[in-house]
Amino acid sequence: GQQLNQSPQSMFIQEGEDVSMNCTSSSIFNTWLWYKQDPGEGPVLLIALYKAGELTSNGRLTAQFGITRKDSFLNISASIPSDVGIYFCAGPYMRFGAGTRLTVKP
Amino acid sequence: EAQVTQNPRYLITVTGKKLTVTCSQNMNHEYMSWYRQDPGLGLRQIYYSMNVEVTDKGDVPEGYKVSRKEKRNFPLILESPSPNQTSLYFCASSLEGRDGYTFGSGTRLTVV
């Protein structure tokens, strides 16, 4: 089946720094979704992408649907402590990457 | 309120004792899915359903069963639980499978 590779696995950054993470797939996707999970909670949708090359922002978050349709990127600008959590990419048929655990030091 | 309801939130059981975790959504969503979450392994899909009576295996289906007899319910059944099924389980639903997924609050299962 399709495979989603998400990197990095974890990140430790200073408050105010920018963050970048990405996902690649073994097959062409028509959808990329980015989620955030807070401790003890279910994931919450951040950004949805439906077209190759699409660039979408949600506040300090920006995500892009790769031109090859096999990758996607999520950037967080000027990180703050409440950005802490696990970030997941997801593709069609509700399949998820392994997640990027973000720690922000004040 | 639009939501996915999972029950129970916490469950401790013994090896081999059959159990069912229920999942219900009130959004008339076509797609539903079950995941288990273990430290460092992300959300691994157990089973997936595109509609009533249509289910498909995810990445880790062994030891689990599901049924989709009606659109709103998608129970997860462990016929003979084992300690390696100790995990945090999430149910989710989606209107079309490629739009945003709504997650339940999770079920923390411990098998001793």
Side-chain angles (χ1 to χ4, degrees), chain B residues 55-87:
Chain B
T55 62
D56 206 355
K57 294 178 182 177
D59 298 314
V60 289
E62 293 77 21
Y64 304 95
K65 282 174 56 177
V66 292
S67 69
R68 188 93 183 272
K69 294 184 177 141
E70 46 190 345
K71 189 183 274 192
R72 63 183 292 123
N73 295 323
F74 191 45
L76 180 70
I77 303 155
L78 285 71
E79 295 270 4
S80 183
S82 62
N84 65 12
Q85 292 179 297
T86 292
S87 188

Side-chain angles (χ1 to χ4, degrees), chain A residues 2-101:
Chain A
Q2 60 183 254
Q3 293 198 1
L4 281 171
N5 297 305
Q6 187 170 351
S7 65
Q9 191 172 9
S10 60
M11 302 183 77
F12 296 85
I13 61 168
Q14 208 69 38
E15 182 177 359
E17 289 183 359
D18 296 342
V19 172
S20 186
M21 59 192 79
N22 72 85
C23 267
T24 59
S25 66
S26 56
S27 53
I28 290 174
F29 280 4
N30 57 9
T31 299
W32 281 103
L33 304 169
W34 285 93
Y35 285 79
K36 182 193 178 197
Q37 184 181 30
D38 291 323
E41 305 285 332
V44 173
L45 180 67
L46 297 173
I47 293 177
L49 303 162
Y50 298 108
K51 280 195 239 182
E54 182 179 354
L55 186 72
T56 298
S57 293
N58 178 3
R60 292 178 295 105
L61 278 61
T62 301
Q64 183 164 24
F65 194 140
I67 293 291
T68 65
R69 297 172 64 192
K70 288 188 173 185
D71 57 6
S72 180
F73 306 87
L74 176 70
N75 296 312
I76 305 172
S77 62
S79 59
I80 59 178
S82 63
D83 289 334
V84 164
I86 304 176
Y87 291 80
F88 292 100
C89 62
Y93 304 110
M94 307 176 76
R95 305 287 280 271
F96 282 76
T100 295
R101 183 179 293 274

Side-chain angles (χ1 to χ4, degrees), chain B residues 5-33:
Chain B
T5 303
Q6 271 180 251
N7 281 298
R9 286 294 306 272
Y10 301 93
L11 178 60
I12 301 174
T13 190
V14 296
T15 299
K17 185 177 180 185
K18 180 179 177 179
L19 67 90
T20 299
V21 184
T22 63
C23 175
S24 180
Q25 51 94 2
N26 62 0
M27 296 165 281
N28 204 36
H29 282 175
E30 300 285 335
Y31 291 71
M32 297 185 76
S33 184

